[in-house]
Amino acid sequence: MFKKITALTLAAGLLVPSTVSALEPLQTGKQAPAASTQITSVAYTTVSIVGKRVKFEVKALENPFNMNYYNRIAWTSTDEEPSVFNDNILSVIVAKKTGQAYQVFSYEALTSVKDKIESGQKVYGWALALNGVWYPTMPATLYY
């Protein structure tokens, strides 16, 4: 009886499609990098005018902003990853060796920001993780 149940179970298992092939080993812990425009965290960008400067912020990071988790944070004028080739970088801040804050900010002169982005346009925040992947945050709109 036990042999019949085992045989039927194996036969049924062969008929049911599976997402894992017996010929392919399981790869645990590996994930494909997130698409550059896919929001993968709750982190978000804020932007405001403070006197003659623009204050860029990324808040609600998943880890403290330090070199154990991040390389840098950048803010861009487009929804593309920060790049000198795209000329879309508005501001950048490099991670310090230590730090416990889950938010980070940077200031830039309003005149230099006006050269790259119009009032009413979105500002995109990006976190460069240690794995070399830029992770986007929720964008904010700049009004000046």
Side-chain angles (χ1 to χ4, degrees):
M1 182 72 165
F2 180 71
K3 286 183 182 181
K4 281 186 178 179
I5 293 173
T6 304
L8 289 174
T9 305
L10 287 173
L14 293 174
L15 296 175
V16 177
S18 173
T19 58
V20 178
S21 168
L23 301 174
E24 297 173 340
L26 289 174
Q27 295 183 2
T28 57
K30 291 187 178 180
Q31 294 180 345
S36 63
T37 56
Q38 179 182 357
I39 305 301
T40 58
S41 73
V42 296
Y44 62 96
T45 299
T46 65
V47 62
S48 58
I49 305 297
V50 180
K52 293 183 180 185
R53 300 186 306 169
V54 178
K55 182 179 183 181
F56 299 96
E57 291 182 275
V58 167
K59 297 180 177 182
L61 291 168
E62 290 189 18
N63 296 297
F65 184 66
N66 61 48
M67 291 174 64
N68 292 323
Y69 301 101
Y70 301 99
N71 284 321
R72 65 196 61 197
I73 301 285
W75 293 269
T76 64
S77 58
T78 67
D79 64 351
E80 298 175 322
E81 291 181 1
S83 169
V84 292
F85 300 112
N86 294 340
D87 193 33
N88 66 347
I89 299 172
L90 298 170
S91 188
V92 175
I93 188 162
V94 177
K96 295 180 178 155
K97 198 169 193 170
T98 61
Q100 297 301 315
Y102 287 78
Q103 65 186 39
V104 64
F105 61 90
S106 177
Y107 289 95
E108 298 295 334
L110 178 58
T111 55
S112 66
V113 173
K114 281 183 174 181
D115 291 340
K116 294 185 175 187
I117 190 170
E118 298 288 326
S119 181
Q121 288 187 305
K122 291 189 186 278
V123 172
Y124 301 86
W126 299 85
L128 180 59
L130 292 181
N131 65 2
V133 174
W134 284 103
Y135 291 95
T137 68
M138 294 296 292
T141 304
L142 174 64
Y143 296 101
Y144 56 84

